[in-house]
mmCIF file of all heavy atoms in Angstrom:
data_model
loop_
_atom_site.group_PDB
_atom_site.id
_atom_site.type_symbol
_atom_site.label_atom_id
_atom_site.label_comp_id
_atom_site.label_asym_id
_atom_site.label_seq_id
_atom_site.Cartn_x
_atom_site.Cartn_y
_atom_site.Cartn_z
ATOM 1 N N ASP A 49 129.321 84.536 53.996
ATOM 2 C CA ASP A 49 129.475 83.895 52.694
ATOM 3 C C ASP A 49 130.642 82.915 52.685
ATOM 4 O O ASP A 49 130.636 81.954 51.911
ATOM 5 C CB ASP A 49 129.692 84.954 51.607
ATOM 6 C CG ASP A 49 128.478 85.857 51.422
ATOM 7 O OD1 ASP A 49 127.362 85.394 51.712
ATOM 8 O OD2 ASP A 49 128.663 87.022 51.001
ATOM 9 N N THR A 50 131.625 83.151 53.547
ATOM 10 C CA THR A 50 132.825 82.325 53.549
ATOM 11 C C THR A 50 132.740 81.120 54.470
ATOM 12 O O THR A 50 133.542 80.198 54.358
ATOM 13 C CB THR A 50 134.038 83.160 53.981
ATOM 14 O OG1 THR A 50 133.851 83.576 55.353
ATOM 15 C CG2 THR A 50 134.203 84.397 53.105
ATOM 16 N N GLY A 51 131.789 81.126 55.402
ATOM 17 C CA GLY A 51 131.735 80.071 56.400
ATOM 18 C C GLY A 51 132.675 80.316 57.559
ATOM 19 O O GLY A 51 132.823 79.466 58.442
ATOM 20 N N HIS A 52 133.315 81.487 57.584
ATOM 21 C CA HIS A 52 134.215 81.876 58.671
ATOM 22 C C HIS A 52 133.720 83.179 59.297
ATOM 23 O O HIS A 52 132.975 83.943 58.682
ATOM 24 C CB HIS A 52 135.645 82.049 58.165
ATOM 25 C CG HIS A 52 136.281 80.780 57.729
ATOM 26 N ND1 HIS A 52 136.750 79.827 58.624
ATOM 27 C CD2 HIS A 52 136.515 80.274 56.490
ATOM 28 C CE1 HIS A 52 137.254 78.808 57.957
ATOM 29 N NE2 HIS A 52 137.125 79.035 56.660
ATOM 30 N N GLY A 53 134.139 83.420 60.545
ATOM 31 C CA GLY A 53 133.737 84.616 61.259
ATOM 32 C C GLY A 53 134.739 85.743 61.128
ATOM 33 O O GLY A 53 135.608 85.734 60.261
ATOM 34 N N GLY A 54 134.619 86.724 62.031
ATOM 35 C CA GLY A 54 135.503 87.883 62.031
ATOM 36 C C GLY A 54 134.798 89.167 61.633
ATOM 37 O O GLY A 54 135.317 90.266 61.854
ATOM 38 N N GLN A 55 133.600 89.053 61.062
ATOM 39 C CA GLN A 55 132.899 90.243 60.573
ATOM 40 C C GLN A 55 132.546 91.205 61.702
ATOM 41 O O GLN A 55 132.665 92.426 61.552
ATOM 42 C CB GLN A 55 131.626 89.827 59.822
ATOM 43 C CG GLN A 55 131.847 88.993 58.586
ATOM 44 C CD GLN A 55 132.043 87.515 58.885
ATOM 45 O OE1 GLN A 55 131.852 87.071 60.013
ATOM 46 N NE2 GLN A 55 132.438 86.757 57.875
ATOM 47 N N SER A 56 132.108 90.672 62.832
ATOM 48 C CA SER A 56 131.731 91.525 63.960
ATOM 49 C C SER A 56 132.926 92.332 64.457
ATOM 50 O O SER A 56 132.822 93.546 64.672
ATOM 51 C CB SER A 56 131.160 90.663 65.093
ATOM 52 O OG SER A 56 130.947 91.436 66.246
ATOM 53 N N GLU A 57 134.060 91.667 64.643
ATOM 54 C CA GLU A 57 135.257 92.373 65.118
ATOM 55 C C GLU A 57 135.707 93.414 64.107
ATOM 56 O O GLU A 57 136.176 94.503 64.485
ATOM 57 C CB GLU A 57 136.367 91.374 65.401
ATOM 58 C CG GLU A 57 136.083 90.484 66.601
ATOM 59 C CD GLU A 57 137.187 89.473 66.845
ATOM 60 O OE1 GLU A 57 137.884 89.076 65.882
ATOM 61 O OE2 GLU A 57 137.352 89.060 68.008
ATOM 62 N N GLU A 58 135.584 93.116 62.816
ATOM 63 C CA GLU A 58 135.986 94.081 61.794
ATOM 64 C C GLU A 58 135.123 95.334 61.844
ATOM 65 O O GLU A 58 135.634 96.464 61.729
ATOM 66 C CB GLU A 58 135.907 93.433 60.410
ATOM 67 C CG GLU A 58 136.978 92.377 60.176
ATOM 68 C CD GLU A 58 136.753 91.595 58.894
ATOM 69 O OE1 GLU A 58 135.677 91.770 58.270
ATOM 70 O OE2 GLU A 58 137.641 90.808 58.514
ATOM 71 N N VAL A 59 133.819 95.169 62.024
ATOM 72 C CA VAL A 59 132.924 96.325 62.135
ATOM 73 C C VAL A 59 133.273 97.144 63.371
ATOM 74 O O VAL A 59 133.346 98.378 63.316
ATOM 75 C CB VAL A 59 131.454 95.873 62.178
ATOM 76 C CG1 VAL A 59 130.545 97.039 62.585
ATOM 77 C CG2 VAL A 59 131.021 95.328 60.824
ATOM 78 N N LEU A 60 133.502 96.465 64.483
ATOM 79 C CA LEU A 60 133.883 97.186 65.697
ATOM 80 C C LEU A 60 135.196 97.944 65.500
ATOM 81 O O LEU A 60 135.346 99.080 65.969
ATOM 82 C CB LEU A 60 134.015 96.208 66.871
ATOM 83 C CG LEU A 60 132.705 95.629 67.416
ATOM 84 C CD1 LEU A 60 132.997 94.560 68.456
ATOM 85 C CD2 LEU A 60 131.829 96.720 68.002
#
Side-chain angles (χ1 to χ4, degrees):
D49 295 333
T50 65
H52 292 285
Q55 297 82 9
S56 173
E57 291 179 332
E58 290 171 352
V59 168
L60 288 173

